[in-house]
Amino acid sequence: ALESRGVEAPSDTVRAATLAAFETPVQRRPGAAAAVEAAAERGPVAVLSNCSIPGLAERALSQAGLADRFDAVVTSVGCGWRKPHANAFQAVADALDAPPETLVHIGDDPEADGGITAVGGRAVLLTETPLQAVPAALDDA
């Protein structure tokens, strides 16, 4: 991943950074489980992460106690695209076997997560909507 961006780093540095990422403790934000449950009541639920380390997103979900609550986990390393590119959101639609315009993407980065609009979906941005208010925001979707 670094090489593709013209960054040269010694392999031992890359290995150490990767191991550190797997050793970093994960904390679930208050309201996260309720938001995921509310989404699941409305249809299939996926994670779209710009993670570039294979298995890291799944590990974080497991440590947060949320791994079994998702129908799909799509990562940039897995699909080859990063948010906000439309192809990343299309990969989620494909994984859920859902039309992309039916997707509601919840995220905390207006630029990256707002990319959902490129495929006709809707963004619920945590910069504007507190996590605890996500269930109500989904009702407005």
Side-chain angles (χ1 to χ4, degrees):
L2 292 173
E3 284 180 14
S4 72
R5 299 294 180 235
V7 176
E8 292 185 34
S11 61
D12 58 336
T13 302
V14 173
R15 180 172 167 69
T18 302
L19 290 174
F22 274 94
E23 293 170 358
T24 302
V26 174
Q27 295 181 350
R28 186 169 70 195
R29 290 172 35 177
V36 173
E37 287 175 25
E41 291 171 2
R42 290 155 178 84
V45 182
V47 168
L48 174 57
S49 172
N50 276 350
C51 186
S52 59
I53 300 172
L56 185 58
E58 293 84 353
R59 179 196 168 278
L61 291 170
S62 179
Q63 281 205 341
L66 298 172
D68 62 340
R69 299 185 187 191
F70 294 95
D71 300 293
V73 176
V74 177
T75 62
S76 58
V77 70
C79 76
W81 298 96
R82 292 180 61 81
K83 298 178 285 183
H85 199 283
N87 287 353
F89 295 100
Q90 182 63 53
V92 171
D94 292 346
L96 295 176
D97 195 27
E101 63 274 9
T102 65
L103 299 179
V104 178
H105 182 80
I106 302 166
D108 58 5
D109 182 329
E111 182 179 336
D113 299 314
I116 186 69
T117 60
V119 295
R122 178 174 165 249
V124 173
L125 299 173
L126 299 177
T127 53
E128 302 166 2
T129 304
L131 192 53
Q132 291 78 1
V134 166
L138 293 173
D139 287 338
D140 297 337

